[in-house]
Amino acid sequence: MDTTQRTTEIHEGDAEVATRVPAPPPKAISQKSILLILIAALLVNAVIVLVGLPMVSHSLLLTYSMNFGDLYDLIAKNLDQGNGYRVDAYMSPTMLREPAYPLLLAAAFKLGGYSIQTARVACVLLAFGSALLLFMLARKITSDTITALSAALLFLLYPGTLVAEARAGIEMPFIFTVLLFMLAFYAAVEKGSLLRYGAAGL
């Protein structure tokens, strides 16, 4: 009887000691690993946008165009050639499209020449910038690096993002600008600084 009682006490004591042992904290992801993962995602994104989608675009032409749209490229081309903000060199100036994206495209055409691939490269870079902004915003809101990294990777590899980049339309500059505003606005609310609110509005 005494032996059984003593054995029970030993086992209870073992269980009590075991419950006091702290679990090891989850291993944090280093900044270098985060950067390497994001760069790998950027490379996959770029290969799909610059090589993969253009190769299969002929089969998508009947339903969805992968070429320039909305006249942004023509306005940018005329800006690059010094003809002003117009669709054609012989036309009068237009306000048909907002100026920001044609200005960005004109700068891209000045560096890389007038082509859809040049515009796609600009959109890939904007997508990567947007992913970084999303990562920073998600980490600020959730305080969780894994969640923030997952959000950035989902954005970079999401089919809608890839198609938007391949079309080289207004979507990527718009997404980048919205995320930049949200990050600046979050910082303004966090700090309560009038100057930061002004920067977010700008």
Side-chain angles (χ1 to χ4, degrees):
M1 186 72 173
D2 291 341
T3 308
T4 307
Q5 187 176 356
R6 228 179 288 118
T7 306
T8 306
E9 285 174 4
I10 289 168
H11 286 314
E12 284 175 358
D14 290 346
E16 192 177 339
V17 171
T19 55
R20 289 196 200 118
V21 176
K27 192 175 180 182
I29 303 178
S30 68
Q31 295 292 331
K32 185 179 178 182
S33 298
I34 292 169
L35 188 61
L36 287 174
I37 291 168
L38 287 174
I39 288 174
L42 169 65
L43 292 175
V44 172
N45 178 294
V47 168
I48 293 171
V49 171
L50 301 176
V51 180
L53 285 176
M55 284 176 64
V56 300
S57 63
H58 63 278
S59 61
L60 303 174
L61 284 178
L62 294 176
T63 55
Y64 204 79
S65 174
M66 289 288 174
N67 296 316
F68 281 124
D70 305 321
L71 306 178
Y72 289 111
D73 62 308
L74 297 178
I75 298 170
K77 184 179 179 182
N78 277 289
L79 280 169
D80 176 39
Q81 293 174 346
N83 298 322
Y85 193 81
R86 60 193 77 213
V87 175
D88 189 87
Y90 299 102
M91 291 181 176
S92 59
T94 180
M95 290 303 293
L96 187 63
R97 296 286 179 263
E98 60 277 2
Y101 188 44
L103 285 171
L104 178 66
L105 272 182
F109 291 159
K110 182 68 78 176
L111 293 172
Y114 175 69
S115 74
I116 185 76
Q117 285 295 78
T118 300
R120 283 171 179 160
V121 169
C123 285
V124 167
L125 294 176
L126 282 170
F128 186 63
S130 299
L132 292 178
L133 292 173
L134 181 60
F135 174 80
M136 289 187 282
L137 184 63
R139 190 159 62 171
K140 276 180 176 290
I141 293 170
T142 65
S143 301
D144 184 8
T145 303
I146 298 293
T147 301
L149 185 58
S150 300
L153 293 176
L154 267 173
F155 172 77
L156 271 177
L157 302 175
Y158 183 66
T161 304
L162 298 169
V163 171
E165 290 173 70
R167 288 188 70 240
I170 191 65
E171 295 88 357
M172 296 321 301
F174 180 73
I175 291 169
F176 179 83
T177 308
V178 168
L179 282 168
L180 188 61
F181 162 73
M182 289 177 70
L183 190 63
F185 185 65
Y186 187 91
V189 172
E190 194 177 38
K191 302 290 184 183
S193 165
L194 190 62
L195 188 62
R196 287 179 181 267
Y197 277 108
L202 180 65

